[in-house]
Amino acid sequence: MPSSTGPSIDTITEGGRVTQVGEGQEADEAAPSVMTFGAPAVGEILADRYELAEHINDDSAGRQVWRGVDVILRRPVAVVLRYPGGDSAKEMLQAAVAASRVIHPNLVGVYDAIDEEDRAYVVREWVDGHSLRELVAEGVLDPARATSIAHAVSGAIAAIHATGMVHGNLHPGTVMVGDDGRVVLADARTDGADTPETDVRAVGGILYFALTGHWPHTEASLTAGSTRRSRSPLPDAVRDASGTIAAPRQVRAGVPAYLDDLTMDLLDSQLAVPSSDVLAAELGRLDAASEEHYLDSGPLRFTSGDDGGPDLPTPSNRRMLIGIAALLVIALVGLSLGINALVGDGDPTDDQGGPTPSTGASTQPAVAGDPEPPAATPRKVNLRGDQVRVIDPDGTRSELDDVEKAVDGDANEGWKTETYRNGSKFGNKKSGMGILINLGEPREVTSVQVDFSESGVAAELRSGPRDFPANSNGDRALVDAFSSRIGNAYEKTDSTKVSFSQFVPGQKHQYLMLWITDLPETEPGSGRWAIGVQEITVQSR
């Protein structure tokens, strides 16, 4: 009987027909050749469950990649096989088990990892799509799409780092872009020399490659003090006679200065890189700005200090800002004088010729030291049923009903998930479920309170740029776009009433998503997991 190295886990994504696995940093030894003795054939069923449908390719690490079918759940899967199993496959299996513990919409999740001694294989979700390497082979990407892909990748890296692990194999061959636009990161593999810094530097490499079609081998794979570099057939970065890489703007036209600066900062070994979650937040800001066609003020800048904090504005930037501020003051003064000239020099009058009623505001100019006016008192946002909908990217969309009850003002009734068995993570079938909230217009949110039916749920609040079509593909795209977490998160609530707060003052949001990743057991020891969202209350200014 085959032995499983870990439980079946549901939520990972491998690439489609043209998937390349193991194209990142390779071990020092040469890749082994694929053994053909006892090789599987089309139609063979592995572990009484996974039917092999088509041999896709052999990767650079000597593994076979197959498209298969889970005959129990009737869904496509990717199967990665190695000959033989046992000790030679130990690293592959351990990496798969470790990857299965991290749940994120932009990470390839593992369904199964099995060692049969003469061969071992990992079963992953099948995604129709192409690697970033293949996409760029057809032409470099526009800056907005490059930013969006880097944003998704950095979010996946941040999720890995939050568990104390690193990916260690971030490369254009391990970044997959599905036909539905979903971006997923596959094939985590670390050899012990990798650190979180390795992954963050590699995000800069991903940006450089997407914008130029060249991979900065040394800069994208080095950690501080390391001399290791990745081996790959990808063309190296464009360099001058001294070996210094050319900036993306020097390679092609049309790259915004802020994106050029961010890419080069991440690849500069003299600058300390930010943490992956800080980078993900910054790329999320740039991604949202490019999608809404906003003019951006510039990226996060990184210093060479220990804290990796943002630089202060340069003198030229400060002069520019002062000049802009001066022009605005002049414009406002001119507008005020123009209005006064139209009204006349006498007392202001209303339409009937009488005195204009006083508003109670002081007519004296503000002076330095005057207290700030008090902020508006937060008020409840009155939400209608058509302003909320269920987000279910990995499910059958059979749990969409009654969501309007989550905002009807009655905490005695609400929306509820189905009851799941085989684990608190939706029976190991989903990365999560959520409720999208459309506030109708951008608002400064001060708190979001959620009444759950049970305690012990893992939940967070996210923000994004817009709604997406209400279908499985649209839900996946929405979860990708709503990767910026706002407020505080709960790994396991100790009460049925949960309050999300700690929002950035002055920041406005129109679309919020309550995202649930872990369900409570309905009764201790029952082996059944579910949650109800009884009421959602949003306060804003």
Side-chain angles (χ1 to χ4, degrees):
M1 292 292 291
S3 60
S4 175
T5 63
S8 295
I9 308 288
D10 189 3
T11 316
I12 282 196
T13 316
E14 186 56 349
R17 177 175 302 275
V18 288
T19 297
Q20 298 295 316
V21 183
E23 289 185 331
Q25 299 163 358
E26 298 297 335
D28 292 335
E29 65 271 18
S33 59
V34 175
M35 298 179 63
T36 59
F37 176 75
V42 172
E44 182 178 354
I45 298 180
L46 306 179
D48 297 324
R49 179 166 186 173
Y50 308 109
E51 180 179 357
L52 299 179
E54 181 184 6
H55 179 210
I56 303 302
N57 65 4
D58 298 336
D59 76 6
S60 59
R63 299 173 296 180
Q64 289 189 5
V65 182
W66 285 74
R67 177 174 61 84
V69 176
D70 183 334
V71 297
I72 295 178
L73 297 179
R74 304 307 305 170
R75 63 181 175 186
V77 294
V79 182
V80 182
L81 298 104
R82 185 182 180 93
Y83 295 82
D87 290 341
S88 65
K90 184 177 180 180
E91 181 182 352
M92 178 185 79
L93 296 171
Q94 287 180 339
V97 171
S100 71
R101 296 171 183 157
V102 186
I103 306 299
H104 191 274
N106 299 118
L107 278 175
V108 168
V110 174
Y111 294 147
D112 225 337
I114 297 174
D115 185 7
E116 295 179 345
E117 295 300 332
D118 61 328
R119 63 186 177 186
Y121 44 92
V122 173
V123 183
R124 296 170 171 168
E125 177 189 352
W126 176 273
V127 171
D128 289 313
H130 298 79
S131 68
L132 178 63
R133 174 179 179 171
E134 292 161 332
L135 287 180
V136 173
E138 299 176 359
V140 294
L141 306 186
D142 64 76
R145 194 175 190 198
T147 301
S148 179
I149 289 174
H151 176 210
V153 169
S154 62
I157 290 297
I160 294 174
H161 291 179
T163 68
M165 298 188 294
V166 296
H167 187 275
N169 195 29
L170 179 50
H171 182 274
T174 59
V175 176
M176 304 301 303
V177 181
D179 293 340
D180 60 357
R182 180 185 177 199
V183 178
V184 289
L185 181 57
D187 205 29
R189 186 168 67 254
T190 177
D191 61 7
D194 301 296
T195 68
E197 180 185 344
T198 311
D199 289 341
V200 174
R201 296 275 185 209
V203 175
I206 292 296
L207 275 170
Y208 193 95
F209 180 78
L211 293 169
T212 68
H214 294 263
W215 177 248
H217 288 268
T218 300
E219 293 80 1
S221 58
L222 283 181
T223 56
S226 171
T227 58
R228 189 189 64 172
R229 58 181 291 172
S230 64
R231 295 188 297 147
S232 168
L234 292 175
D236 192 18
V238 179
R239 300 178 184 273
D240 61 20
S242 66
T244 302
I245 63 174
R249 298 183 80 189
Q250 296 174 296
V251 179
R252 59 170 288 198
V255 178
Y258 66 81
L259 193 57
D260 186 88
D261 289 343
L262 176 58
T263 302
M264 296 302 289
D265 283 355
L266 292 172
L267 296 174
D268 188 347
S269 61
Q270 301 302 310
L271 294 179
V273 293
S275 62
S276 54
D277 57 341
V278 169
L279 177 60
E282 173 63 9
L283 283 167
R285 181 177 71 87
L286 299 179
D287 190 12
S290 64
E291 192 162 321
E292 296 295 334
H293 306 290
Y294 293 153
L295 292 176
D296 190 78
S297 60
L300 188 68
R301 299 288 297 175
F302 312 122
T303 69
S304 57
D306 294 336
D307 59 356
D311 286 339
L312 294 174
T314 62
S316 60
N317 286 342
R318 283 196 293 269
R319 286 194 295 271
M320 183 182 296
L321 292 174
I322 291 171
I324 293 173
L327 289 173
L328 289 174
V329 170
I330 293 171
L332 290 173
V333 170
L335 179 63
S336 175
L337 292 174
I339 293 173
N340 287 337
L342 290 173
V343 172
D345 295 332
D347 292 335
T349 59
D350 60 14
D351 292 341
Q352 284 72 42
T356 301
S358 172
T359 62
S362 172
T363 59
Q364 297 299 320
V367 296
D370 281 351
E372 293 290 333
T377 302
R379 296 178 179 273
K380 177 183 175 181
V381 180
N382 294 317
L383 296 172
R384 304 184 309 272
D386 60 358
Q387 290 179 266
V388 292
R389 71 179 183 89
V390 175
I391 306 302
D392 188 14
D394 304 321
T396 60
R397 304 185 65 76
S398 60
E399 300 165 81
L400 309 184
D401 295 339
D402 296 330
V403 66
E404 68 279 358
K405 294 180 180 179
V407 294
D408 63 357
D410 183 0
N412 294 318
E413 58 180 11
W415 169 80
K416 188 175 183 180
T417 67
E418 294 176 353
T419 300
Y420 291 84
R421 296 178 180 271
N422 301 322
S424 61
K425 296 185 181 300
F426 296 89
N428 293 324
K429 295 179 179 179
K430 302 179 182 181
S431 59
M433 289 186 70
I435 295 178
L436 178 68
I437 308 164
N438 181 358
L439 300 179
E441 62 182 2
R443 297 173 181 267
E444 182 181 352
V445 179
T446 57
S447 72
V448 177
Q449 180 174 303
V450 181
D451 290 0
F452 289 108
S453 60
E454 306 284 345
S455 60
V457 61
E460 61 188 46
L461 197 66
R462 299 182 181 183
S463 176
R466 61 184 177 89
D467 197 357
F468 287 77
N471 53 46
S472 295
N473 290 338
D475 283 1
R476 291 189 187 97
L478 186 142
V479 172
D480 290 345
F482 280 62
S483 59
S484 299
R485 193 177 71 191
I486 59 174
N488 48 310
Y490 293 86
E491 293 185 1
K492 189 173 183 180
T493 61
D494 55 9
S495 171
T496 59
K497 291 185 180 295
V498 173
S499 180
F500 295 94
S501 55
Q502 303 175 14
F503 299 107
V504 177
Q507 191 174 70
K508 294 187 176 183
H509 308 276
Q510 179 172 344
Y511 297 97
L512 304 175
M513 183 175 68
L514 174 66
W515 185 242
I516 300 169
T517 57
D518 209 40
L519 304 175
E521 202 167 12
T522 55
E523 294 180 8
S526 66
R528 295 180 176 136
W529 288 266
I531 192 62
V533 179
Q534 305 302 108
E535 194 66 26
I536 300 174
T537 305
V538 179
Q539 298 271 348
S540 76
R541 291 193 176 94

